Amino acid sequence: MTDITTGAPAGRARGGSASLKGAGLLALGIAAALAAGFGLGGDPFLLNLAGYTCGFAIFALSVNVMLGGLGEVPLGHCMFYGIGAYAPAMAMNHAGLPYEAGVAIGMVVAALIAAPIGWLTLHLTGAYFSIVSWGLSGVAMVTALNLDVTGGPLGLFGFSRLAVGPFDLSRPQTYFFVAAAILLAVLVVLYHVRGSRFGRAMEAIRQGPHLARSLGIDVFRERLKALVLSAPIAALAGALSLPYTQIVTPEVMSVLRTVDALLAALIGGVGLIFGPAVGAVIFTILPQFLDLDPNVKVLVFSLLIILVMVAAPGGLHQLWKAAAARLSHARKGDAP
Amino acid sequence: MDLLIQTLINGLILGAGYALVAVGLTVIFGTLHIVNFAHGAFFALGAYATLLIERAGAPYLLAIPLAVLCVAAIGFALEATIVRRALYDQGEHGSIIVTFAISQAIVAAIILVVGPDPLPVPSPFGQTAVSVGGFFLSAQRIFIAAASVAVLAGFALWLRRSVKGQQILAVSQNARGALYSGINVPLIRSLSFLLGIAAAGLAGALMGPMISAFPTMGDANVIVAFTVVILGGLGSIGGAMLGALVIGLGNALFETYVSVSWTPALGWVLVILVLLLRPQGLMGRAQLDRH
């Protein structure tokens, strides 16, 4: 899987030009968000979906910290997403706390749970790590099904007020702008993380854990940091899904949610910092406009992902690059 | 006391069914070094193939081998087009994603072609129960246990006695060494994949009448199979059989004496504990080079 590295340099911070490029991308993101927010006009359904997509993109980014960052497949990441969705729901319905407090609690809890889980499981790699991770989310789902505080199989619903400060998330346009702003903030954070010492250590570990260790990198600690970084981001994404779903059920921790995020990350490109976000948009918006049956959607995207993995493990943009390279090669061949 | 014995019998029969799924999974892992997350989908395909062949007029006992052939054919096609290209010797994270995607694609295809609702798979054994020394067993369960024991015994014998079986064992012990000894490793890998998939299909065909066919029927089963295989040590065939019996008994006891609604968590907790405490499993050998 070394091919992924070919996609990496695009998003790497190195010197002034890179941070300038980062600022440019950020401006582009803000412009896109504003255009989408006002361009979608008054259609509340599309705006809500767009808000939800931003949340989903955040989840894909969180999953990609593990996938693109460490080269692990965190099948159980949906657990942190579920914690993030359940925390504000429980805070509002049982404790009478506001939504923001619940979101903050969820993120803290996710990080606190991630630390011991990581400490126990991150010694495992590859399929072993994926299976244990999946297993933990399975246990979490069964727990949510069986407890009373989580509302059992029916879940929690009927939330009092979904708002962040003065911004009322039950208004679709506000929801979208808040979600988009948080998405951009997460992107900025991850961009800086990637350029940091920690980010470069992760990249070294992904390319070769043994070599990284020989260079003095504490592999286990960096892997642990990556999980503890990504868990609250996943929780944030889960919390942001509430205004769209209006309900939390144990299904929120279904492994299929992680798989969706993995697909989004892979389509967008795991080596690119904004790849997962682009993939998330493709993954949710495209089927909406094509009016696909959900099962056709799963079939199409599964086949697409197989194609990506077989032909372009770094993301769809690799196909484009390969085609461009072949084209320019062919032209050169013709010239003399 | 009667309840305990009845529970133990049920557990052993359950375990025999699990063993079939688990052995397929472990053979594929042993030779290809991939964890086949699509195993449950092939299990479901086995049940649906049986159902469709029966609808076409074949009796159940004839439908089983035909269904296994169908599943093996689909497995062969996937092996030749996807698995072979994407997986061999290419880091684990690719194989996890590709097999997961295959699984999702198969489940979605089943829903689109046959429909999402559970369908009964007719069987001549039906719901009849047989009384053995005062304990009741459904005829289908006895059939499942007998068929899986027969198939597994045959398979174990074939592995020991035949040249191809020995070659499979050789490749799972050391693929490079096998290659240097003149064994056609890609062929053996394809063969192992086919055998593993066929075992999953057979398990689906056998279990179908008991749990009826529905698109995601493989999920619960493959999760148990993971438990079994990891408990037994990934790649160890004897371990998979032993693990299946342990899990079958454990599940039956837990269901009877503790709680039905928490049973799904039991398998996961066991998997996690085994992976954390004894990653090489009950009978697997400790790996020297873990990567």
Side-chain angles (χ1 to χ4, degrees):
Chain A
M1 289 286 122
T2 45
D3 302 24
I4 291 170
T5 48
T6 51
R12 190 168 300 161
R14 196 168 282 165
S17 69
S19 71
L20 206 68
K21 198 175 159 197
L25 281 174
L26 185 65
L28 195 69
I30 293 172
L34 286 175
F38 293 112
L40 293 174
D43 192 335
F45 175 74
L46 284 183
L47 278 169
N48 261 333
L49 185 71
Y52 174 74
T53 304
C54 289
F56 178 59
I58 295 173
F59 184 50
L61 286 169
S62 161
V63 164
N64 196 46
V65 171
M66 303 297 288
L67 180 70
L70 290 181
E72 297 289 359
V73 183
L75 286 176
H77 231 57
C78 46
M79 175 172 63
F80 301 116
Y81 185 90
I83 290 172
Y86 266 108
M90 279 157 70
M92 284 185 287
N93 286 15
H94 298 317
L97 291 169
Y99 172 73
E100 305 95 309
V103 177
I105 294 172
M107 290 174 71
V108 171
V109 169
L112 287 180
I113 290 183
I117 284 180
W119 188 75
L120 281 171
T121 62
L122 281 170
H123 287 295
L124 305 168
T125 56
Y128 291 92
F129 173 77
S130 299
I131 292 170
V132 168
S133 166
W134 185 10
L136 285 167
S137 75
V139 173
M141 193 165 150
V142 175
T143 308
L145 267 173
N146 281 290
L147 291 184
D148 285 334
V149 281
T150 53
L154 292 178
L156 295 169
F157 44 87
F159 308 123
S160 49
R161 180 165 183 270
L162 294 167
V164 177
F167 302 110
D168 184 2
L169 297 186
S170 55
R171 291 189 52 230
Q173 202 168 31
T174 320
Y175 172 43
F176 170 69
F177 278 131
V178 169
I182 295 177
L183 170 62
L184 287 173
V186 169
L187 276 171
V188 169
V189 169
L190 290 179
Y191 183 77
H192 282 284
V193 164
R194 173 173 290 212
S196 72
R197 194 185 146 74
F198 164 54
R200 290 196 299 270
M202 275 207 311
E203 179 62 18
I205 292 169
R206 190 186 62 75
Q207 290 188 11
H210 297 300
L211 185 60
R213 182 170 297 160
S214 78
L215 292 172
I217 296 172
D218 186 340
V219 172
F220 176 68
R221 203 185 65 192
E222 303 296 334
R223 282 163 63 89
L224 188 59
K225 271 158 82 178
L227 183 66
V228 175
L229 168 74
S230 70
I233 298 178
L236 183 63
L240 278 178
S241 73
L242 284 193
Y244 179 75
T245 58
Q246 296 289 341
I247 185 171
V248 196
T249 60
E251 275 299 302
V252 78
M253 302 202 205
S254 153
V255 69
L256 294 181
R257 186 168 306 280
T258 315
V259 174
D260 285 350
L262 288 170
L263 298 192
L266 285 164
I267 290 171
V270 290
L272 302 172
I273 196 96
F274 53 86
V278 174
V281 173
I282 297 175
F283 190 76
T284 47
I285 303 290
L286 206 60
Q288 194 62 42
F289 278 108
L290 296 178
D291 202 17
L292 286 181
D293 176 90
N295 291 304
V296 178
K297 175 188 158 185
V298 172
L299 190 62
V300 168
F301 276 97
S302 304
L303 295 177
L304 186 61
I305 217 64
I306 292 169
L307 179 73
V308 168
M309 291 307 292
V310 173
L316 276 185
H317 65 96
Q318 273 196 342
L319 286 181
W320 172 254
K321 269 188 194 163
R326 185 167 288 183
L327 212 65
S328 71
H329 196 71
R331 266 198 212 125
K332 261 181 219 158
D334 288 343
Chain B
M1 193 61 201
D2 281 2
L3 180 64
L4 178 65
I5 295 175
Q6 178 76 57
T7 307
L8 291 178
I9 293 173
N10 285 349
L12 283 176
I13 290 178
L14 201 61
Y18 289 154
L20 214 47
V21 185
V23 164
L25 204 55
T26 213
V27 166
I28 292 178
F29 180 84
T31 47
L32 277 74
H33 292 284
I34 63 165
V35 175
N36 183 21
F37 284 90
H39 218 62
F42 289 103
F43 176 83
L45 271 183
Y48 273 97
T50 313
L51 175 66
L52 294 180
I53 292 167
E54 277 189 280
R55 279 192 186 164
Y60 180 60
L61 291 179
L62 177 65
I64 295 175
L66 289 178
V68 172
L69 279 181
C70 286
V71 175
I74 295 172
F76 177 74
L78 287 175
E79 204 274 337
T81 51
I82 300 169
V83 180
R84 190 176 298 175
R85 282 160 206 267
L87 302 187
Y88 296 162
D89 303 321
Q90 270 218 34
E92 284 180 279
H93 105 226
S95 72
I96 296 169
I97 289 163
V98 168
T99 53
F100 226 109
I102 290 177
S103 147
Q104 281 207 288
I106 291 177
V107 170
I110 289 177
I111 294 177
L112 289 172
V113 174
V114 191
D117 302 318
L119 298 167
V121 180
S123 153
F125 305 105
Q127 299 299 322
T128 50
V130 186
S131 166
V132 183
F135 299 103
F136 289 98
L137 298 169
S138 86
Q140 180 67 28
R141 277 175 189 256
I142 296 177
F143 176 65
I144 293 173
S148 24
V149 168
V151 168
L152 288 175
F155 182 62
L157 206 65
W158 181 78
L159 278 183
R160 295 248 172 278
R161 303 279 168 195
S162 74
V163 174
K164 278 279 178 292
Q166 287 289 305
Q167 290 183 341
I168 287 181
L169 290 179
V171 172
S172 65
Q173 275 169 12
N174 184 338
R176 191 164 292 169
L179 188 66
Y180 293 158
S181 319
I183 293 174
N184 186 344
V185 173
L187 178 77
I188 291 299
R189 283 178 166 165
S190 302
L191 182 65
S192 309
F193 189 79
L194 267 190
L195 285 172
I197 294 302
L202 175 61
L206 291 175
M207 306 273 263
M210 213 171 75
I211 56 179
S212 76
F214 54 98
T216 55
M217 65 189 290
D219 287 2
N221 239 283
V222 81
I223 288 167
V224 176
F226 275 138
T227 329
V228 165
V229 165
I230 289 168
L231 194 65
L234 270 171
S236 153
I237 291 163
M241 294 185 191
L242 181 70
L245 292 183
V246 172
I247 295 287
L249 284 174
N251 264 359
L253 288 171
F254 193 84
E255 249 177 37
T256 309
Y257 292 105
V258 188
S259 156
V260 174
S261 59
W262 284 92
T263 307
L266 175 74
W268 283 129
V269 171
L270 280 176
V271 169
I272 295 163
L273 288 180
V274 169
L275 274 183
L276 294 178
L277 302 176
R278 202 177 149 74
Q280 71 271 36
L282 294 177
M283 288 173 67
R285 285 155 299 137
Q287 276 176 289
L288 292 177
D289 54 337
R290 273 200 231 140
H291 31 222

